[in-house]
Amino acid sequence: MSRRKVGILISGRGSNMQALLDACAAPDYPAEIALVAANRADAAGLERARDAGIATQVVPHRDFPDRQSFEVALDAALRDADAELVCNAGFMRILTPWFVERWHDRQLNIHPSLLPAFPGLHTHERALAAGVRFTGCTVHFVRAEMDAGPIVAQAAVPVLAGDDADRLAARVLAAEHRIYPLALRLVAEGRARVADERVLIDGPACGEAALLNPTD
Ligand code: GRF
């Protein structure tokens, strides 16, 4: 089995990165991590990646005069590593249309809400303020608009009485760690197809494959 080479972009602790690394450790997983790149040298996830023997690179955005030159360097790092797919995992830089186009339908992001609800920051505070009964997380292909793009997979997570943002975030994060490897598998196997800006899943259990819910 040939495995698709993946570059992961992080800015922080890297728990989603870790979930992808763990998934890739299984011999039948269709992807392998070629590079973990961070825009900050102090991203805790870098240490975790090094511990796992994964190549890492810091591309510090502050060292570049503008967004485009930063992205050229990031793109070069990914290409040097022969990455075919990119997974944003807590990557906190807004990407320009130039970068997004270069990785069109080959770049995934994970977001801690059921998009299109609550794009942007502070999703859990906003979900609590809105009084929704369910929130969750979404893996989607990246488009120039932030936290938008064809949805590959979603997990629904209940909002429980007594939740504060931290408790809710922890419950959602556990679902993120399940859904990101699942979504990457679908994309790496070529089973997630973008048609008309929606994702069609081919193959067996196609509906269920991209869905997690609290009864699981
Ligand atoms: C996750 O909640 C992810 O959905 C969001 O940023 C957080 C990153 O966490 N985009 P980690 O660095 O993967 O632990």
Side-chain angles (χ1 to χ4, degrees):
M1 177 188 66
S2 93
R3 299 169 138 221
R4 309 293 303 278
K5 287 189 192 307
V6 175
I8 304 182
L9 305 183
I10 64 168
S11 298
R13 74 189 153 182
S15 71
N16 277 291
M17 172 209 76
Q18 185 73 57
L20 295 176
L21 256 51
D22 292 347
C24 288
D28 66 341
Y29 197 75
E32 62 182 293
I33 308 305
L35 178 72
V36 170
N39 63 309
R40 310 170 54 105
D42 62 356
L46 287 170
E47 200 57 46
R48 300 174 116 178
R50 287 185 202 116
D51 286 349
I54 305 289
T56 62
Q57 189 160 339
V58 180
V59 185
H61 64 276
R62 288 185 202 286
D63 288 2
F64 295 87
D66 51 35
R67 223 175 256 281
Q68 171 96 33
S69 52
F70 161 67
E71 289 183 359
V72 167
L74 194 59
D75 183 68
L78 290 164
R79 282 168 199 278
D80 287 350
D82 292 326
E84 300 162 86
L85 299 168
V86 178
C87 288
N88 298 3
F91 183 65
M92 301 304 283
R93 301 301 294 169
I94 291 171
L95 294 164
T96 69
W98 176 81
F99 188 93
V100 170
E101 268 319 302
R102 277 179 90 76
W103 293 95
H104 190 81
D105 289 351
R106 296 188 299 139
Q107 185 178 19
L108 295 169
N109 181 46
I110 186 153
H111 182 76
S113 76
L114 288 175
L115 291 172
F118 311 123
L121 297 174
H122 309 301
T123 51
H124 306 302
E125 285 86 346
R126 287 155 64 211
L128 289 169
V132 295
R133 297 298 186 212
F134 283 99
T135 182
C137 47
T138 303
V139 178
H140 63 95
F141 284 108
V142 173
R143 293 291 183 263
E145 192 188 338
M146 192 181 57
D147 300 328
I151 290 168
V152 180
Q154 290 189 306
V157 174
V159 180
L160 301 180
D163 270 355
D164 58 18
D166 287 345
R167 284 183 50 154
L168 185 54
R171 193 175 308 119
V172 171
L173 192 65
E176 293 182 44
H177 295 162
R178 294 176 64 196
I179 204 170
Y180 212 169
L182 184 155
L184 177 60
R185 170 185 283 281
L186 291 172
V187 172
E189 286 175 343
R191 293 178 57 199
R193 226 167 6 99
V194 181
D196 227 358
E197 286 301 86
R198 289 186 301 165
V199 174
L200 304 176
I201 309 288
D202 296 324
C206 50
E208 297 78 357
L211 184 70
L212 286 184
N213 65 56
T215 60
D216 283 355

